[in-house]
Amino acid sequence: MSMIFFACVVRVRDGLPLSASTDFHLSQDFLECRKRLKALSLILTQYPSRGTARGRDLSIHFLSSGEVASMVICSSSYSTIMAFCFLEELQWEFAAAYDTTSIGLASRPYAFLEFDNIIQKVKCHFNYTGCSQMKISLEKIQEELKFRPPVLLKLEDMELMNGLTNGGHTELYMGSVPTYRMQPVTAIGILSLVLNIMCGALNLIRGVHLAEYSFQEDHEGIGNVIAFFLPFLACIFQCYLYLFYSSARKMKVFVLVFSICLCNMYLYGLRNIWQILFHIGVASLSSYQILTRQLVEKQPDPGV
């Protein structure tokens, strides 16, 4: 069971959220805890660099360093030392990825949305791996917490903070994660979708026909059947990645293109060189379209 449920990185001076994990939970307790975390993020300047707000089932831990603070919601039974190890790791990763200038110039919430990939990786690392593999040693954090213990808060106190921070311009950051949409589909993008669907259909038809023969006559042809079905699935997934945003897109695109190329080379003999080049060319075009179609933030209504 996951012990770390949500993590985010905020700018200390104004509570501007810079990045956050996107695996939301829908329980009422968690949603309430999220609201209290946002209220707390707006007044981090009033507290020392480390703090903990404990509740019955969920707790909030935060760690500030310079302009940036990392915050996490985790189970109340989760080790405080492990929680601050997680926050230290997140701080280290964020500092390695972004400089202070870009952080200071950030003007919109979630300006570093792509950092979600790193948050997910670190979160998974702490939820599912042993302590011995952590970059930040538990002994070091334990020693620091011994000499500089985190300030202790109560989650119930966050309710009052939530009301106090609703006034003024700070309410801009009290909402949920902003809505994003993909850039408009281009003519070349539509062409890549059509070609991808066509390649997928060809792979499926050839695979089904070959499967009928292989299961009845030639059991050694199972490898060829798999080599047709895998590119079919890859083509469908490429269409999905082009139409909808997904984290770790670069990694997924690379795996899909590599699979299509490998399977088509395996099918040399059943396909001629021009057919193989056509399928690889369509996969490459689709990959380029996926990687160049970016997220665009929906601008809030200025009248609100």
Side-chain angles (χ1 to χ4, degrees), residues 125 129-135 138:
H125 188 60
T129 61
C131 304
S132 60
Q133 301 177 18
M134 308 300 179
K135 285 184 183 178
L138 292 176

Side-chain angles (χ1 to χ4, degrees), residues 182 192 196 237-243 249 253 256 283 285-294:
M182 302 292 287
S192 71
N196 231 337
F237 198 30
Q238 277 194 323
C239 292
Y240 173 83
L241 288 178
Y242 179 72
L243 294 172
R249 281 197 301 168
V253 166
L256 292 175
L285 174 63
S286 297
S287 300
Y288 176 77
Q289 291 301 311
I290 291 168
L291 294 176
T292 54
R293 190 170 184 231
Q294 301 296 326

Side-chain angles (χ1 to χ4, degrees), residues 109-127:
Y110 305 96
F112 308 108
L113 189 66
E114 67 280 0
F115 189 71
D116 166 54
N117 296 331
I118 304 297
I119 296 178
Q120 298 288 11
K121 183 179 74 171
V122 177
K123 178 171 166 286
C124 182
H125 188 60
F126 273 76
N127 277 337

Side-chain angles (χ1 to χ4, degrees), residues 151-171:
V151 60
L152 296 179
L153 307 170
K154 290 184 179 180
L155 275 184
E156 291 74 14
D157 297 338
M158 300 299 107
E159 286 289 354
L160 178 60
M161 295 179 189
N162 194 23
L164 292 175
T165 54
N166 274 337
H169 72 281
T170 55
E171 64 183 2

Side-chain angles (χ1 to χ4, degrees), residues 43 45 49 61 71 77 80 100 104 106 114 120 123 173 190 195 202 204 206 251 258 297:
I43 53 173
T45 53
S49 60
H61 303 277
M71 308 183 75
S77 61
T80 300
T100 54
E114 67 280 0
Q120 298 288 11
K123 178 171 166 286
Y173 309 130
I190 294 174
L195 291 175
L202 290 173
L204 179 62
R206 291 289 302 276
M251 177 67 70
F258 180 76
E297 182 185 356

